[in-house]
Amino acid sequence: MSTYTGSAATTEPAWLRRALIAAALAFMALFLFLPLAVVFVEALKKGWDTYLAALLDDDALAALRLTLLAAAISVPLNLAFGLAAAWALAKFEFRGKSFVLSLIDLPFAVSPVIAGLVFVLVFGLQGWLGVWLQDHDVRVIFALPGIVLATVFVTVPFVARELIPLMQAQGTDQEEAAHVLGANGWQMFRRVTLPNVRWALLYGVILCNARAMGEFGAVSVVSGHVRGETNTLPLHIEVAYNDYQFAAAFAVASLLAGLALVTLVLKFAVERRLQNQLKKALQ
Amino acid sequence: MLSRLLRRQHSVLPGFSLSLGLALLYLGLLVLVPLSAAFLKTATLSGPAFLAAVASPRALAAYRLSFGAAALAAALNAAAGLLVAWVLVRYRFPLRRLVDGLVDLPFALPTAVAGIALTALYASNGWVGRWLPFKVAFTPLGVWVALVFIGLPFVVRTLQPVLEELSHEREEAAATLGASRAQTLARVVLPTLAPALLTGFALAFARGLGEYGSVIFIAGNMPMLSEITPLLIVTKLEQYDYAGATAIAVVMLVASFALLLAINLLQAWTRRRQGER
């Protein structure tokens, strides 16, 4: 009679374990690691001079400025929204709460192209406000405001989604204590709530920023692709690529791939702290 | 007023009306009003005009490709994602943490970058494409490759926490009761993972359905053959056919909302299944 051993019954034989690890790594290499590597290899294929020239090109620099500007406006807006939404949803019980929660997730379910399209329907020349805007000489579509609106739309959920579960788990005891001790609303928020959620806040902002700087579909629909004026970095990549300037396209792409890697490192650093905080709150 | 109308419990904390009011105003102006513009614009179309726009042969071919490629990509993601999540949670190997971190790459990498990278890789002279006996880039297969890339983290990140919570005791119990390892996996482990696996599949499918940036570079974009629905919307917009573009967008929005509802139900099921253990 064979004796039962815990390890043999609850795990796989060593050869199978190794085969499964190899299969998982092979799949990830094919679909994740190689695409990342190819960006840098293609970017440097024609040497450093071409690489730097592509990055220092006037249109590329204008695209970089526009990308930074659009993110610098959209991320703080969604940060403020995330804090307001999380305060209402996590600290109070009210009718229709789960409905509001699904509303926050809605932009993730909408195709980026449609996110751009709806703003064209409101602000475009044939749209609701088109004639009025033209009469007052205000440009929204094919200009910065449209790019910001589309970026905000696709990044609405990021901060709120990270804050709500944490603030729910933390409950209201600490804020109530501050209130009883005489703190006013602003003091309570700044001294108690904000420090308690700082990691979740940072985590949400990191993800929100990555998406804001990298958004392609929604921005592409509202931008109009005017070189040096309404092209963001991802749109600049498309224009260069379609002009068969592959080295230039990949050079700019390597910049955004670098941003993605920085995002992953920051995310990794913050994730553990956030999970510890959440675990502590749930105990 | 808002607070008296909605509140279920009295709370001493301030700021309910202000924060909820601001949040709803923001969502309303930036999300709901623009989205309603799509439905109102479509409502101006007559019935036959609407049908002609959403059921033209070109639109039907685009739906077939979008839904088909997204479903097939999500299916591969479910299988590969299960493998990756299992290996990452259960086994120890060098650089495991690094590999785990890179699973999120499709979330962090801008879609246009992913699009040109996958195209370079899977083109017939690319690192991967040159070894394959068939064409991938610029065919419907290319659409599938891009959607596999985009969808993987959804399955892995949905499964990982469930796998981590899964206690060894139940597997040990099954083994002491005489189950083989294969029986334990099929009868104990897999049923526990099923809701999370389905959720991951649905999330990857929903993302794939609307994906644009990573697909258009690798797809070839031939009408009737390799043109995805979001691209058809953009094409119609560029031809100033706003009503036609919006009608197709409404079809996609309805599909997305139905999926969102299904995902919410699946997530509730996942939580219940986890609570049972």
Side-chain angles (χ1 to χ4, degrees):
Chain A
M1 205 179 111
S2 65
T3 34
Y4 159 72
T5 57
S7 65
T10 51
T11 189
E12 289 69 47
W15 66 267
L16 183 57
R17 278 205 303 267
R18 264 179 234 130
L20 290 176
I21 292 172
L25 290 180
F27 176 83
M28 288 183 68
L30 216 52
F31 284 97
L32 296 185
F33 310 150
L34 286 179
L36 184 62
V38 86
V39 172
F40 294 99
V41 172
E42 290 285 330
L44 294 170
K45 215 175 191 173
K46 297 206 172 142
W48 282 97
D49 292 342
T50 319
Y51 181 75
L52 285 177
L55 290 185
L56 296 175
D57 170 72
D58 283 345
D59 290 344
L61 288 176
L64 175 64
R65 269 194 298 274
L66 182 60
T67 294
L68 293 176
L69 182 61
I73 302 172
S74 324
V75 175
L77 280 175
N78 280 330
L79 173 64
F81 162 74
L83 279 169
W87 181 258
L89 288 161
K91 303 286 180 183
F92 299 91
E93 287 303 319
F94 60 92
R95 271 184 275 275
K97 187 162 152 173
S98 55
F99 177 69
V100 179
L101 275 169
S102 335
L103 274 188
I104 293 177
D105 273 346
L106 200 57
F108 277 169
V110 174
S111 170
V113 165
I114 299 177
L117 164 74
V118 293
F119 288 108
V120 174
L121 294 178
V122 176
F123 297 105
L125 248 186
Q126 299 187 7
W128 290 350
L129 304 176
V131 174
W132 187 89
L133 288 171
Q134 201 184 28
D135 288 347
H136 292 76
D137 207 22
V138 182
R139 291 196 72 132
V140 176
I141 299 305
F142 305 148
L144 178 69
I147 293 171
V148 170
L149 284 170
T151 307
V152 166
F153 184 103
V154 295
T155 53
V156 159
F158 282 103
V159 179
R161 276 169 72 100
E162 299 305 328
L163 286 177
I164 291 168
L166 180 67
M167 284 170 67
Q168 240 161 4
Q170 285 171 340
T172 54
D173 297 353
Q174 293 192 27
E175 278 87 0
E176 277 164 7
H179 181 79
V180 170
L181 292 170
N184 66 30
W186 173 242
Q187 285 172 325
M188 179 188 67
F189 180 73
R190 206 166 54 93
R191 302 261 182 90
V192 179
T193 310
L194 268 188
N196 273 342
V197 299
R198 63 184 185 277
W199 295 119
L201 202 66
L202 187 58
Y203 193 80
V205 165
I206 291 166
L207 298 183
C208 184
N209 180 64
R211 179 70 192 265
M213 289 193 178
E215 178 53 30
F216 178 76
V219 172
S220 154
V221 171
V222 296
S223 119
H225 297 88
V226 184
R227 273 186 184 218
E229 277 179 45
T230 62
N231 266 350
T232 59
L233 281 180
L235 298 180
H236 183 79
I237 293 174
E238 186 196 20
V239 170
Y241 191 87
N242 288 343
D243 274 356
Y244 301 100
Q245 300 168 13
F246 295 126
F250 277 102
V252 176
S254 75
L255 207 61
L256 287 174
L259 171 76
L261 289 177
V262 171
T263 301
L264 289 183
V265 170
L266 287 174
K267 185 171 174 296
F268 183 78
V270 174
E271 205 156 38
R272 167 127 351 140
R273 296 193 166 92
L274 176 59
Q275 271 164 5
N276 287 343
Q277 214 170 23
L278 191 61
K279 257 184 221 143
K280 215 170 77 191
L282 284 170
Q283 273 163 8
Chain B
M1 198 200 76
L2 191 63
S3 78
R4 222 172 301 153
L5 203 68
L6 294 171
R7 271 236 234 150
R8 285 225 168 104
Q9 279 167 8
H10 179 73
S11 165
V12 295
L13 295 182
F16 173 72
S17 300
L18 180 68
S19 59
L20 185 65
L22 279 177
L24 289 178
L25 184 71
Y26 189 89
L27 278 177
L29 286 180
L30 287 165
V31 177
L32 293 182
V33 169
L35 280 180
S36 70
F39 289 92
L40 291 173
K41 175 85 184 174
T42 303
T44 61
L45 281 177
S46 69
F50 176 76
L51 271 183
V54 301
S56 70
R58 190 171 168 187
L60 292 177
Y63 304 142
R64 254 199 309 278
L65 178 63
S66 280
F67 281 87
L72 290 175
L76 180 64
N77 277 326
L82 178 62
L83 174 70
V84 170
W86 179 266
V87 162
L88 287 174
V89 172
R90 287 297 175 98
Y91 305 152
R92 293 294 169 264
F93 54 93
L95 300 179
R96 185 181 62 93
R97 302 289 297 273
L98 181 71
V99 171
D100 189 298
L102 277 172
V103 167
D104 284 325
L105 183 71
F107 284 158
L109 194 70
T111 52
V113 180
I116 63 171
L118 290 168
T119 310
L121 212 54
Y122 286 87
S124 45
N125 60 353
W127 293 353
V128 178
R130 77 176 65 160
W131 303 105
L132 299 172
F134 45 86
K135 273 185 76 171
V136 176
F138 317 121
T139 72
L141 206 55
V143 177
W144 178 78
V145 166
L147 296 184
V148 169
F149 171 86
I150 285 297
L152 182 71
F154 289 97
V155 177
V156 178
R157 294 304 186 221
T158 315
L159 280 174
Q160 261 177 329
V162 184
L163 262 174
E164 270 157 17
E165 295 270 304
L166 194 68
S167 73
H168 279 271
E169 284 157 33
R170 293 186 69 181
E171 288 168 60
E172 279 164 14
T176 42
L177 290 170
S180 70
R181 183 67 186 147
Q183 281 174 320
T184 309
L185 288 177
R187 302 266 183 86
V188 177
V189 176
L190 211 55
T192 318
L193 294 180
L197 196 59
L198 257 177
T199 309
F201 173 88
L203 286 169
F205 179 69
R207 174 68 200 265
L209 212 50
E211 180 57 25
Y212 177 70
S214 61
V215 175
I216 56 162
F217 294 97
I218 198 172
N221 305 329
M222 295 282 292
M224 305 297 295
L225 180 67
S226 55
E227 181 181 57
I228 53 166
T229 315
L231 178 69
L232 180 58
I233 295 174
V234 172
T235 309
K236 288 200 173 273
L237 265 182
E238 280 168 358
Q239 295 162 348
Y240 302 103
D241 180 6
Y242 288 80
T246 312
I248 294 172
V250 162
V251 171
M252 296 303 277
L253 277 175
V254 170
S256 301
F257 294 162
L259 269 169
L260 189 65
L261 188 69
I263 289 166
N264 277 339
L265 293 174
L266 277 170
Q267 277 167 340
W269 184 30
T270 311
R271 279 194 295 274
R272 268 205 310 280
R273 181 62 69 92
Q274 273 190 291
E276 279 168 14
R277 288 181 300 111

